[in-house]
Amino acid sequence: MNLIRIALRYIRNEILVLPTRVIAILFVIGLLVLPLLTQDMYILRILAIAAIFAIYAASWDLLSGFVGQVSFGHALFFGVAAYTTALLNLRFGISPILTIPIGALASVLVGLLVGIPCLRLKGPYLGLATLAFPIMLMGIIFIFPGFFGGELGISGITRLAAARLNEYYIAVVFMLILCFVMWKITDSKVGIIFHAIREDEIAVRASGINTIKYKLFAFCLSGFFAGLAGGLYTHFLRIAGPSMLAVLMSFQAIIWTIFGGVATIYGAVTGVFILFPTLEILRTFSDYRMLIFALIVLLVLRLMPQGITVFVRDKLERECPRCKVRNVFTRKECRVCYSSMK
């Protein structure tokens, strides 16, 4: 009974006091109960893919949004895990329970290989350098079509689960857990160092912190989460192809995250769950689909340059000028230090 009482008190005092947290809780509940309202396989498929892409976009935000290591070739992590997962499953018959984490570990190794030569690069130079790696890997895939499947890729992979409903829940639960873990990392001491490196790396180095170690750690972390997304995606679609390493795949993560709000994690999730289904809905306007989509993105970013989640958060909440705790915009005094909110 005490645990229930503590949980209820936490929900009342920490979650229900902020509108954005209520919206987040409603979003999670909505995803979990959706199959009770509809069994439409197409809707479940779109939302399951959106959940997997949300992990992928959040992993980009972890590296580029929080640490400032802008990556234009993030599809490398996604594609390496996808091909590793597919090859292990198809050639050796290994279960998805093992292929997905092994694929993610392969992405961690790639993160090290990319991170080490790029450590001294900054800004557009770093972005262009990261862009080169997936292009090089795509070239290797085309050189050995017998092993990697060439342009058609590798197909016939084991499904993520026997039923589409189970696959939906696996994707959604994975997304909720992994994005929560990423958010907690950014909210920890490591996250504070990540923030500091992005703002002023020289000052961080002058304070005695080994920034190279933390930047490599960020590359590996980001690669791990992107790799998990790549493994899930491969088993969900049952194919691993060159499109997973394409430039568009890298830039999609950037668009989703900037649209939702950089350096938030939940902004990347929001961006994917708005833009990916929107792109599917626009299939009815086949000739003007991409034009309408681009106009929507441009309009939102013009009106909300920091992303849609940051815009909504700033409208619904205000930060206490004294203790920096967020409060609902209607409060006249802070809920923690009782300072005036004016």
Side-chain angles (χ1 to χ4, degrees):
M1 288 298 290
N2 284 337
L3 286 176
I4 296 174
R5 200 174 297 122
I6 291 170
L8 290 174
R9 192 185 306 142
Y10 179 81
I11 292 171
R12 187 177 64 249
N13 297 334
E14 295 296 328
I15 295 178
L16 298 182
V17 293
L18 291 177
T20 52
R21 292 181 184 176
V22 174
I23 293 171
I25 290 293
L26 291 176
F27 170 70
V28 172
I29 294 172
L31 282 179
L32 294 177
V33 303
L34 180 70
L36 301 177
L37 306 175
T38 177
Q39 293 287 326
D40 190 315
M41 291 298 112
Y42 178 71
I43 293 176
L44 295 182
R45 172 188 164 86
I46 295 301
L47 291 178
I49 294 175
I52 295 170
F53 280 152
I55 302 169
Y56 171 57
S59 72
W60 183 87
D61 196 23
L62 182 65
L63 176 66
S64 300
F66 283 90
V67 195
Q69 303 298 293
V70 178
S71 169
F72 289 161
H74 210 61
L76 175 70
F77 304 122
F78 193 87
V80 164
Y83 271 96
T84 305
T85 300
L87 289 169
L88 288 173
N89 180 255
L90 203 63
R91 312 283 188 205
F92 302 101
I94 300 176
S95 163
I97 297 173
L98 292 176
T99 58
I100 293 173
I102 293 173
L105 291 176
S107 294
V108 171
L109 180 62
V110 169
L112 278 173
L113 294 175
V114 173
I116 290 171
C118 294
L119 281 174
R120 296 191 181 279
L121 299 176
K122 293 181 180 178
Y125 302 102
L126 173 64
L128 291 174
T130 55
L131 181 61
F133 288 95
I135 295 173
M136 286 191 289
L137 183 58
M138 196 183 294
I140 295 171
I141 286 170
F142 289 138
I143 290 172
F144 302 101
F147 188 73
F148 292 108
E151 292 184 1
L152 297 178
I154 302 169
S155 58
I157 302 158
T158 306
R159 288 185 64 171
L160 198 57
R164 178 66 76 197
L165 182 61
N166 295 343
E167 288 183 317
Y168 169 81
Y169 273 117
I170 289 172
V172 167
V173 171
F174 258 89
M175 179 202 71
L176 295 175
I177 294 172
L178 295 178
C179 289
F180 179 75
V181 170
M182 282 188 266
W183 179 72
K184 290 303 288 181
I185 289 172
T186 60
D187 200 38
S188 66
K189 289 181 180 177
V190 173
I192 293 171
I193 295 173
F194 283 171
H195 274 289
I197 291 173
R198 182 192 62 195
E199 296 298 327
D200 193 341
E201 185 179 344
I202 296 174
V204 177
R205 203 181 303 151
S207 66
I209 294 173
N210 187 339
T211 57
I212 292 176
K213 183 180 75 174
Y214 279 96
K215 286 199 290 187
L216 272 179
F217 183 52
F219 266 102
C220 294
L221 266 182
S222 181
F224 178 74
F225 289 112
L228 287 175
L232 285 168
Y233 189 73
T234 301
H235 280 290
F236 186 81
L237 291 188
R238 304 184 65 197
I239 188 168
S243 62
M244 294 179 181
L245 291 161
V247 174
L248 179 61
M249 192 69 187
S250 294
F251 279 88
Q252 278 181 327
I254 301 171
I255 294 168
W256 290 326
T257 306
I258 292 175
F259 182 90
V262 180
T264 56
I265 297 296
Y266 53 80
V269 177
T270 306
V272 173
F273 273 89
I274 291 176
L275 292 182
F276 187 69
T278 299
L279 203 55
E280 288 298 317
I281 293 168
L282 291 176
R283 284 187 186 279
T284 51
F285 307 97
S286 57
D287 292 339
Y288 305 100
R289 181 183 176 220
M290 294 309 295
L291 176 63
I292 297 172
F293 180 77
L295 287 174
I296 292 171
V297 173
L298 286 173
L299 182 64
V300 170
L301 292 181
R302 176 68 182 83
L303 299 174
M304 310 170 195
Q306 291 185 312
I308 195 166
T309 55
V310 177
F311 177 83
V312 172
R313 187 190 65 190
D314 291 344
K315 289 293 180 186
L316 297 177
E317 300 169 5
R318 285 187 296 167
E319 192 177 82
C320 172
R322 183 181 178 189
C323 68
K324 306 302 179 186
V325 169
R326 299 199 72 82
N327 295 266
V328 64
F329 73 97
T330 53
R331 285 191 71 96
K332 294 182 179 175
E333 59 182 24
C334 177
R335 62 190 169 92
V336 174
C337 67
Y338 300 104
S339 300
S340 172
M341 292 295 294
K342 293 182 180 177

